[in-house]
Amino acid sequence: MLDRLFQALVDGVLQGSVLSLAAVGFSLIFGVLGVINLSHGVLIILGAYLALVALRTIGLDPLLALPLIAAICFGVGYLYQRFLISPAIRRASLLSSLLVTYGVALILQNLFTLVFSADNQSVRPDYANSFDRFGGITVNRLQLIAFAISCVLIAILAWVLRRLPIGRSIRATAEHELAARLCGVDTDQIYAISFGLSAAFAGAAGVLIGMLFPFAPSSQEDWTIFGFVVVVLGGAGSAAGALLGGLLLGIISALTGAFVGPAYPNAVAFLVLVLMLLLRPHGLLGSAFHGSR
Amino acid sequence: MLISRRDALKTGSAAAALLGSDDVLASAQNTIRLGGSVPMSGKESDTGLNVLEGYKVAVKYVNEHLGGVKVAGVAYKLELQLFDDASDPQRAVTLIQKQLDSGTDFFLGSFSSAIVLPTAALTERARRPMVQAGGGADQIFTRHFRYMFGIYPRASRQLVTLVEMFKSMHGQVRTCAIVATNDPFSKGQADGSVEYLRAAGIQILNTYRLPPTLTDVSGVVSDLRLRTPDALICTTHQEDSALVTQQLVATGTDVKLLFLALGPEIPAFRANLGKYAEGLTFNQYWKPTYRFGDPFFGSTANYYNYYTTVTDRKETYHTAGASLCITCYVKAIQDAGTLAPDKVRDALAALNYESFYGQVKFTADGDGDAVLMGAVISQVQPSGLEVVFPPKVATAQLVYPIPNWATR
């Protein structure tokens, strides 16, 4: 019984860390721009497909390809915000970004289907299947690696946001755009950089997700929903909030799967989501950034 | 004679309506339109695209090699009008209703029971035949539909052969566990197998029900490590089958036999799993090596040769099943000698002939006869997909137990 509890907790933490990484970009964009990015999942799947291409064309290990993929996704995200989302918001309203991001998600999903087919894919090198046993607990090594990478990347983001000038500009823009402008912050640039960062984290998460789970173009919807749930649980705009929300979702799912039944993790996760919206709409570590106000 | 403005308008409107009618256009061009939807995107699209390819290949053959379908001395070309339902039952329902409204008389099925079930209800109400190779849930065949015909036996009867195989293994399989998703096909297959397994004296250690949206089965896998069955039966769709297998491999959770209802028949599925695909067992309804005659293709070998020359998409039993839907229609229309949907429906119900796929005979409820059109058990082996049961048609011995994941 105790073994089962520990195993569920370990599984939950490992799974949750990847959810956190997948959601941190969603959280950043919601917190800074106030945009609910419905194409977040498709950026994650873009990362997974780029890892697949790197592995199949030049034999590059997905983990080695991760920094490059994150950089490519940063560029994609930067341009996406500059030339699509920003004009849409300027000409219409913040709400129009919902339509734009949803449209982009559909277009990219179909593009992936055209290029890669709708078949399920997987980017699993051989070491993805090695594991260790500690007493009665089994831990897959790739999940451990994914956990470490997720924690390090989220910590770097938190450090950038807190310590570096660019991070301070992002936080200032998120708190009050006009005040930030008056202080000389180029907010248009900050929005684009924030979106680029969000896409880079989505791409990096996509690499890990492609290694851990089967994926297809249609998987993007699930990852957008997970991103949303994590942000509601943890709170928008904060790296620590995303980490906490992801871990919470992972642990809730694992404990429910182990002790209530494997049919119920989603039901329980969404029940917690509703409760959180009722009791603490800003999430556990929600900031007062304008997106979450 | 003077023609009043009102008469001119009436005549013009009637002519426009007549010309605008799709039926008139269709018959004017001597085409038989086969409507429907297929998951070309979304969760079910890998098998959906196989089904679509099967339809396309058979239609191409009928039109180009047989010169179409002859009815009362007139040759009609077949025309596919299949739309992408994106694996979404609601979208499929809208698409089918639209086609019914535009006068489509004959329908082909989508893939997955969750889509076939509501769309078949629509075509049934409109008294239009549907032939499908994508829905096996019992609910499709227990609602007394008269116009719906499925190539595969209903889900609850699909694991009969697997249990027969267990019985033939002289007590090597004493325990099993079942993993099923909460959808009509998967649940139906799991529920049906429980009865057969109990009757065979095989103990079911646990039945795990999974939600339709799934990214992690670590709880199930941990439980399987604690209570490991001799055989693990997953009545899951391909995406979930892949996830279960990956997580079993990733945690070194070994079982002696792993049966996956859907997945191993798809080449991309096997390629993704690599060496870990070896040993997986699954239901197989058709193989290119079968030696059946066929009134249209001539034989299974001819069908297979034609298929491989016109498409790059690898054949599966779903592609063959979909092609069979087309030839069933052709045979039924020829037998009926008319394009009246009622008569074609009666001819479909009466079909009993040898095809490239095997003997075709539908039950009174519309599903494939469980004995004549039932599955054989195949296993992924180094030599390819081998039939391992029943012995009469087996091409290789079952590998049991399968090698441990770690030693591969």
Side-chain angles (χ1 to χ4, degrees):
Chain A
M1 182 69 178
L2 213 56
D3 273 359
R4 214 168 160 201
L5 175 67
F6 283 128
Q7 181 72 60
L9 284 172
V10 168
D11 288 341
V13 169
L14 296 179
Q15 164 98 347
S17 65
V18 180
L19 290 172
S20 302
L21 184 65
V24 72
F26 188 92
S27 169
L28 184 70
I29 289 306
F30 186 43
V32 176
L33 277 83
V35 168
I36 296 176
N37 180 13
L38 296 181
S39 57
H40 189 72
V42 94
L43 292 168
I44 291 174
I45 295 301
L46 172 67
Y49 277 114
L50 288 175
L52 184 75
V53 170
L55 184 68
R56 291 208 179 147
T57 52
I58 51 172
L60 188 59
D61 185 276
L63 291 180
L64 295 177
L66 191 144
L68 179 67
I69 290 168
I72 293 171
C73 288
F74 178 89
V76 170
Y78 183 93
L79 297 173
Y80 179 23
Q81 201 283 335
R82 237 13 228 269
F83 297 106
L84 263 175
I85 293 180
S86 181
I89 294 173
R90 223 178 12 247
R91 285 177 200 166
S93 67
L94 202 57
L95 267 181
S96 66
S97 62
L98 269 181
L99 287 176
V100 171
T101 55
Y102 183 62
V104 168
L106 287 181
I107 291 167
L108 286 182
Q109 181 181 331
N110 284 295
L111 195 67
F112 291 153
T113 306
L114 272 177
V115 177
F116 298 103
S117 91
D119 293 331
N120 281 305
Q121 306 282 358
S122 175
V123 199
R124 280 180 89 79
D126 243 8
Y127 60 81
N129 296 315
S130 51
F131 57 90
D132 294 299
R133 290 225 161 93
F134 306 99
I137 314 287
T138 303
V139 183
N140 174 250
R141 282 188 203 154
L142 178 64
Q143 279 191 303
L144 268 182
I145 295 170
F147 172 77
I149 291 175
S150 300
C151 290
V152 167
L153 288 178
I154 291 172
I156 290 173
L157 180 67
W159 179 75
V160 168
L161 287 177
R162 189 146 295 277
R163 300 279 175 210
L164 293 191
I166 184 76
R168 281 195 286 274
S169 298
I170 289 173
R171 285 191 291 128
T173 308
E175 282 186 29
H176 205 290
E177 186 196 357
L178 182 61
R181 269 182 192 278
L182 290 171
C183 294
V185 175
D186 181 352
T187 53
D188 287 343
Q189 186 73 351
I190 291 298
Y191 284 147
I193 289 173
S194 302
F195 214 100
L197 277 175
S198 162
F201 275 79
V207 175
L208 299 179
I209 284 164
M211 294 173 79
L212 289 167
F213 311 109
F215 63 92
S218 57
S219 316
Q220 60 96 7
E221 293 162 8
D222 297 339
W223 290 105
T224 302
I225 292 170
F226 284 132
F228 187 75
V229 176
V230 168
V231 167
V232 170
L233 290 180
S238 110
L243 183 63
L244 188 64
L247 292 179
L248 202 60
L249 182 61
I251 291 168
I252 288 170
S253 299
L255 288 176
T256 309
F259 295 103
V260 182
Y264 301 102
N266 292 351
V268 174
F270 281 98
L271 183 69
V272 173
L273 175 89
V274 171
L275 287 176
M276 188 63 83
L277 283 170
L278 285 172
L279 302 174
R280 197 176 161 81
H282 286 188
L284 290 174
L285 299 181
S287 65
F289 289 168
H290 74 254
S292 56
R293 275 204 290 268
Chain B
M1 188 177 77
L2 282 176
I3 298 173
S4 70
R5 198 171 59 171
R6 180 167 295 182
D7 285 341
L9 280 172
K10 273 184 189 168
T11 314
S13 310
L18 204 61
L19 284 173
S21 154
D22 291 343
D23 278 348
V24 173
L25 277 179
S27 60
Q29 293 159 3
N30 286 346
T31 58
I32 299 168
R33 193 192 310 148
L34 298 171
S37 74
V38 174
M40 300 175 206
S41 59
K43 200 174 175 226
E44 308 294 356
S45 52
D46 40 7
T47 306
L49 290 172
N50 287 341
V51 170
L52 177 65
E53 204 63 26
Y55 289 151
K56 279 159 69 174
V57 167
V59 164
K60 186 176 168 66
Y61 183 84
V62 171
N63 287 341
E64 293 178 6
H65 289 261
L66 304 181
V69 188
K70 289 207 174 61
V71 184
V74 181
Y76 288 83
K77 296 275 183 196
L78 295 179
E79 182 194 343
L80 283 180
Q81 281 209 346
L82 299 170
F83 299 92
D84 179 18
D85 57 38
S87 312
D88 177 3
Q90 284 177 354
R91 190 182 293 197
V93 163
T94 311
L95 290 167
I96 299 300
Q97 187 59 56
K98 234 174 167 177
Q99 293 180 70
L100 282 168
D101 294 344
S102 73
T104 302
D105 281 338
F106 303 109
F107 286 86
L108 294 163
S110 182
F111 175 75
S112 100
S113 296
I115 302 175
V116 171
L117 188 58
T119 51
L122 285 180
T123 51
E124 180 71 23
R125 199 165 52 205
R127 299 165 77 89
R128 295 288 179 269
M130 172 187 276
V131 184
Q132 53 92 5
D138 282 35
Q139 292 96 314
I140 299 172
F141 304 106
T142 51
R143 298 168 75 183
H144 308 295
F145 287 168
R146 292 185 69 248
Y147 288 79
M148 210 287 312
F149 298 91
I151 299 297
Y152 309 120
R154 70 192 65 180
S156 63
R157 295 176 183 170
Q158 288 184 359
L159 297 190
V160 177
T161 324
L162 179 71
V163 180
E164 286 301 316
M165 185 177 85
F166 291 165
K167 278 160 71 177
S168 75
M169 291 168 72
H170 309 295
Q172 288 188 90
V173 177
R174 289 170 199 276
T175 56
C176 73
I178 301 171
V179 177
T181 32
N182 254 334
D183 66 69
F185 166 80
S186 182
K187 195 172 168 300
Q189 213 179 44
D191 292 347
S193 68
V194 167
E195 271 179 48
Y196 295 116
L197 288 164
R198 283 195 182 135
I202 294 166
Q203 190 193 351
I204 301 166
L205 297 182
N206 213 337
T207 300
Y208 303 95
R209 301 258 184 235
L210 305 176
T213 305
L214 190 64
T215 52
D216 182 49
V217 285
S218 53
V220 173
V221 171
S222 305
D223 206 49
L224 285 169
R225 273 199 303 280
L226 295 174
R227 297 174 73 204
T228 308
D230 292 329
L232 178 60
I233 301 170
C234 302
T235 63
T236 42
H237 282 238
Q238 51 276 13
E239 194 177 352
D240 299 333
S241 298
L243 183 67
V244 171
T245 312
Q246 273 189 7
Q247 296 204 344
L248 286 173
V249 176
T251 53
T253 309
D254 291 299
V255 285
K256 291 178 186 165
L257 187 143
L258 178 55
F259 174 88
L260 303 170
L262 290 168
E265 77 283 3
I266 301 171
F269 180 96
R270 299 196 298 273
N272 282 334
L273 285 174
K275 61 188 174 189
Y276 301 107
E278 256 177 51
L280 299 178
T281 48
F282 60 102
N283 269 350
Q284 194 165 18
Y285 291 88
W286 177 82
K287 271 201 83 168
T289 49
Y290 282 175
R291 291 179 184 172
F292 292 112
D294 185 273
F296 308 107
F297 288 98
S299 66
T300 307
N302 286 356
Y303 166 76
Y304 177 64
N305 288 339
Y306 181 74
Y307 181 90
T308 48
T309 49
V310 297
T311 176
D312 289 335
R313 196 162 179 95
K314 196 92 178 88
E315 82 289 346
T316 68
Y317 71 76
H318 281 107
T319 54
S323 293
L324 183 66
C325 294
I326 303 292
T327 51
C328 279
Y329 259 128
V330 176
K331 179 94 173 70
I333 289 170
Q334 285 179 346
D335 290 352
T338 168
L339 290 175
D342 275 352
K343 303 281 184 217
V344 174
R345 178 264 156 213
D346 291 344
L348 281 166
L351 284 181
N352 188 359
Y353 75 103
E354 186 176 305
S355 72
F356 68 91
Y357 184 90
Q359 191 69 20
V360 175
K361 190 175 186 326
F362 299 110
T363 69
D365 293 322
D367 54 334
D369 186 288
V371 176
L372 296 173
M373 300 172 81
V376 297
I377 303 300
S378 283
Q379 187 173 41
V380 184
Q381 296 193 358
S383 51
L385 303 183
E386 301 290 355
V387 178
V388 292
F389 192 84
K392 207 167 59 179
V393 289
T395 55
Q397 283 275 338
L398 172 76
V399 176
Y400 181 91
I402 55 173
N404 287 350
W405 307 119
T407 58
R408 297 187 185 207

